[in-house]
Structures are given as structure tokens and as C-alpha cells.
Amino acid sequence: TEANPAIPAQGICPEGFHVPTTDEWDALGEFAASATGSDNNSLRSVDSWTSSMSTPGSDDFGFAAYGSGRYYMNNFADLGFKAYFWTSEEDNTPELGDPVRHSLIRSLSGMIDAMGFGNSNKADGLSLRCVK
């Protein structure tokens, strides 16, 4: 697949896999929440959540999300506290100034009980999961 610069990490997934959409992330969260009561805790690894504000995850499905944080504004942030993941979708919110540079993201936290969502500049360093 030829890379599309409008989609973060496009072309990085192995053949037959793709960067998940927001709908795919939401479906994963809904499944995890309906099965365990927590879309956040049940997807997080039992280790790597080392921040004093974090609790370990239960990793009920083998997703094993690490508290990898992100690379943001030339610094690493939220190590051991949060995990941020790219989606395949851009954020076209006008108030961002230049929406072409932003993408929608999903996040997991060591402190709350719900999957987070938002946007991130495409120059930031986030985690990526590929979907078959």
C-alpha cells in the first residue's frame, strides 16, 4: 500500500493490516466494557504503569497496552501513566488552525476508568496498533 501523508503512520502496518479507525477503537472499547465493566483497565498491561498516580491494568484480553506515554513538544510525557494511540482519521476541527496537521487519537490512562479520545499533532510520537 502506498503511504498517504494525510494519515499518520500510513503504510507502516504489515500487508493485510491497517491503522484502526475511530469506529474500530470504539468497538474495542465497547466490547471490553461490556465484558469486564472497564474498557480502560481491561486493555492495560499488568506492568509498565509505574507512575505514582497509576494502578496496574488487568489485561483481560491480551491487548497489554503499556504506559508508554508520548513524545510531545520535544519531550517525553506521561511515561508509566498514559498510552496514546493513533487512529487513521484526521481531526478537521477549524479551531486547531491547521487541521491537516492533527489526527484523532485514543488513549488509556492509569488513573481513570474509560478510554480517552482527542487529537494530536502528527509530529508527535504516539503508539500504534495495527488491525487485520
Side-chain angles (χ1 to χ4, degrees):
T1 306
E2 189 172 315
N4 178 347
I7 299 173
Q10 178 70 20
I12 198 159
C13 293
E15 187 173 329
F17 289 78
H18 63 275
V19 177
T21 64
T22 55
D23 286 344
E24 288 169 322
W25 272 106
D26 294 346
L28 174 64
E30 289 168 17
F31 169 79
S34 68
T36 67
S38 172
D39 61 350
N40 181 40
N41 189 54
S42 65
L43 298 172
R44 294 188 301 115
S45 69
V46 295
D47 54 8
S48 87
W49 297 86
T50 56
S51 166
S52 62
M53 296 183 291
S54 292
T55 58
S58 59
D59 195 20
D60 295 307
F61 308 103
F63 190 79
Y66 289 121
S68 55
R70 65 179 171 165
Y71 187 74
Y72 171 72
M73 297 182 73
N74 298 318
N75 291 296
F76 289 98
D78 296 329
L79 293 173
F81 179 59
K82 285 191 176 183
Y84 299 88
F85 297 92
W86 292 115
T87 74
S88 62
E89 299 173 41
E90 291 184 306
D91 187 352
N92 292 315
T93 307
E95 59 267 15
L96 290 175
D98 186 3
V100 171
R101 294 183 13 218
H102 292 83
S103 292
L104 296 174
I105 64 170
R106 292 295 184 262
S107 63
L108 299 173
S109 171
M111 196 167 103
I112 61 172
D113 200 31
M115 184 183 295
F117 59 91
N119 62 52
S120 191
N121 189 298
K122 292 179 187 178
D124 295 343
L126 310 182
S127 296
L128 175 71
R129 289 292 177 108
C130 297
V131 175
K132 188 170 186 173

